[in-house]
Amino acid sequence: MKKITTTDALAAFCAEAAKRPYVTVDTEFLRERTYYSKLCLVQLAYRDDAGEDAALVDPLAEGLSLEPLYDLFRDAGVVKVFHAARQDLEIFYVDAGVIPAPLFDTQVAAMVCGFGEQVGYETLVRKIAKADLDKSSRFTDWSRRPLTDAQATYALADVTHLRDIYEYLSDRLDKSGRKKWVAEEMAVLKDPATYQADPDTAWQRVKTRTQSGRFLAIVRELARFRETYAQQRNIPRSRVFKDDALVELASTKPQNEQDLGRSRLLLREARKGDVAQGILDSIKAGLAVDNADLPKPDKSRVAIQVNPALADMLRVLLKAKTDNEGVAQKLIATSADLDALAAGERDVPALKGWRREVFGNDALQLCEGKVGLAVKGQKVVTVAL
């Protein structure tokens, strides 16, 4: 197998890859002890009968620049193929501001092609490539050098089998006319905002039961401080304080370090020093927010008035449509989406793009009482009312 440890070797490999219609890509990284992922390995492969068509790129090698790879990522003539691409793309965006394009995610494509919800790579290798993966190196420390042959073989399999999977799924999508469906799904992955962790919006990811504007203002300030602190020191946000501790702090509103010492959930290291001061300052800031500037509760956090009978009928309709189309249900609508529809909301993904064609139009007519559901043989169908 080809192991690349110099910029010149990477440039030569990428130049050959640029002559092909697609290149498969995967990464190995560590993130347990850092805020940002530490890139440890990049696997690349293209289709070539000569055999020199797959490589392991060592980004930890002294003097190696990934710029030739980023040039390949920018090449509009080569499709970049990933499986479950989000974390891989985040690494490249954070490191270099690059998002590969055009982009193809085989996990999304497999859901469109009827392989189930968030199907794993191993399942696709078994069903499409007719091969088995050696999982013994799954939990390895990819930052250690040298890599063993077993580690290298495991890593390379993530892109060599991916060629067969991509070609199979791409062909099925061409025949079914659904390639544009996958293209629509790639929009989120290609959006830089997907990978930007903004401290000002970090509070929106914190699950709370209390919807008081003042409480949420304190949550917002605490989450902003935690996110900024973790980013600046490149440590996991949970090492600063966890969500349950954040919610407790917003509820108890400690005013000094002595109060912090009474917290049941706050880490000992967070009860003094910079973190303690940041917590106290955040609580003060949250308490000082003008009433007019208090954050508004997210609609999704507030109990909505769901018509349970209608929600059940929408679930039946969704299953009927996805069974008929061979598409994963969650790719079209989540349970929360269906409840929102049954509560009268219309700003849901199921009513946009290709989802509207497959499910949304009939779902709207069902909600408006224009169609009903009937059993015809082994299928559930809509009938005009």
Side-chain angles (χ1 to χ4, degrees):
M1 63 185 70
K2 183 184 290 292
K3 296 181 181 179
I4 294 176
T5 58
T6 68
T7 305
D8 287 345
L10 177 58
F13 185 89
C14 290
E16 287 300 314
K19 300 174 184 177
R20 275 71 184 183
Y22 72 87
V23 59
T24 55
V25 190
D26 190 39
T27 68
E28 305 296 345
F29 56 88
L30 297 179
R31 197 173 191 171
E32 289 81 4
R33 297 183 293 274
T34 58
Y35 183 92
Y36 299 106
S37 297
K38 178 181 180 180
L39 182 61
C40 299
L41 198 67
V42 181
Q43 304 98 283
L44 303 168
Y46 52 81
R47 181 74 76 187
D48 182 69
D49 293 336
E52 294 293 320
D53 54 2
L56 301 177
V57 182
D58 186 356
L60 304 182
E62 186 176 355
L64 183 141
S65 168
L66 290 177
E67 195 55 37
L69 176 63
Y70 297 144
D71 285 340
L72 180 63
F73 284 170
R74 298 182 188 104
D75 189 334
V78 182
V79 177
K80 272 63 73 172
V81 181
F82 293 79
H83 181 83
R86 194 191 184 288
Q87 285 189 303
D88 302 314
L89 299 180
E90 181 182 5
I91 292 172
F92 298 128
Y93 179 77
V94 170
D95 282 359
V98 175
I99 298 177
L103 179 67
F104 188 98
D105 190 325
T106 56
Q107 185 177 69
V108 174
M111 293 171 72
V112 170
C113 291
F115 282 85
E117 314 287 351
Q118 294 181 318
V119 60
Y121 180 67
E122 184 183 354
T123 299
L124 295 181
V125 170
R126 187 174 64 252
K127 290 186 175 181
I128 296 175
K130 309 300 180 185
D132 293 314
L133 292 178
D134 178 4
K135 298 181 288 184
S136 60
S137 297
R138 175 171 292 180
F139 301 109
T140 195
D141 181 350
W142 293 103
S143 67
R144 299 187 65 178
R145 295 294 184 271
L147 295 176
T148 66
D149 288 344
Q151 289 173 321
T153 299
Y154 169 88
L156 210 58
D158 283 344
V159 287
T160 51
H161 295 307
L162 193 55
R163 295 174 301 195
D164 295 326
I165 293 168
Y166 167 68
E167 290 174 3
Y168 175 87
L169 293 174
S170 182
D171 182 61
R172 278 192 54 171
L173 291 169
D174 281 336
K175 290 177 178 176
S176 65
R178 295 180 180 178
K179 214 156 207 175
K180 64 177 183 178
W181 295 11
V182 176
E184 283 186 36
E185 296 307 298
M186 294 300 100
V188 173
L189 292 175
K190 291 188 291 185
D191 184 355
T194 302
Y195 313 105
Q196 295 167 349
D198 183 357
D200 290 340
T201 59
W203 69 279
Q204 295 172 357
R205 297 193 300 269
V206 180
K207 294 181 180 179
T208 65
R209 293 183 179 178
T210 305
Q211 298 303 312
S212 147
R214 183 64 56 191
F215 171 84
L216 291 178
I218 299 172
V219 168
R220 181 175 63 187
E221 297 302 322
L222 287 167
R224 177 189 287 129
F225 162 71
R226 179 179 67 172
E227 202 75 17
T228 302
Y229 189 92
Q231 288 177 355
Q232 291 174 344
R233 290 158 180 79
N234 195 23
I235 60 174
R237 60 177 68 90
S238 62
R239 284 265 303 276
V240 187
F241 46 84
K242 296 182 180 180
D243 279 6
D244 55 358
L246 189 155
V247 173
E248 180 193 46
L249 292 167
S251 299
T252 58
K253 307 176 188 64
Q255 300 299 301
N256 51 51
E257 289 192 13
Q258 186 176 1
D259 290 344
L260 290 178
R262 300 189 184 99
S263 170
R264 297 177 300 110
L265 302 172
L266 199 60
L267 297 172
R268 183 178 301 172
E269 296 80 6
R271 301 181 187 191
K272 56 186 178 181
D274 291 344
V275 176
Q277 191 59 51
I279 290 172
L280 296 175
D281 289 346
S282 298
I283 292 170
K284 279 185 183 176
L287 290 171
V289 173
D290 289 338
N291 288 338
D293 296 327
L294 293 175
K296 302 294 188 293
D298 186 342
K299 277 188 174 182
S300 65
R301 298 168 182 236
V302 181
I304 56 178
Q305 297 300 311
V306 178
N307 179 330
L310 179 56
D312 287 342
M313 292 178 70
L314 286 168
R315 285 173 172 78
V316 173
L317 176 65
L318 177 63
K319 186 176 187 312
K321 292 291 186 179
T322 54
D323 284 351
N324 186 55
E325 296 288 345
V327 183
Q329 289 187 39
K330 286 185 180 178
L331 190 61
I332 293 181
T334 64
S335 182
D337 291 336
L338 299 180
D339 286 344
L341 278 171
E345 295 186 19
R346 296 297 177 259
D347 185 19
V348 295
L351 299 182
K352 299 173 183 176
W354 66 270
R355 291 175 173 83
R356 188 179 183 108
E357 298 174 31
V358 174
F359 169 73
N361 285 329
D362 282 341
L364 275 178
Q365 289 197 308
L366 183 65
C367 292
E368 294 166 1
K370 296 178 180 177
V371 301
L373 301 179
V375 176
K376 188 174 183 180
Q378 298 295 317
K379 292 185 176 183
V380 172
V381 297
T382 57
V383 292
L385 296 179

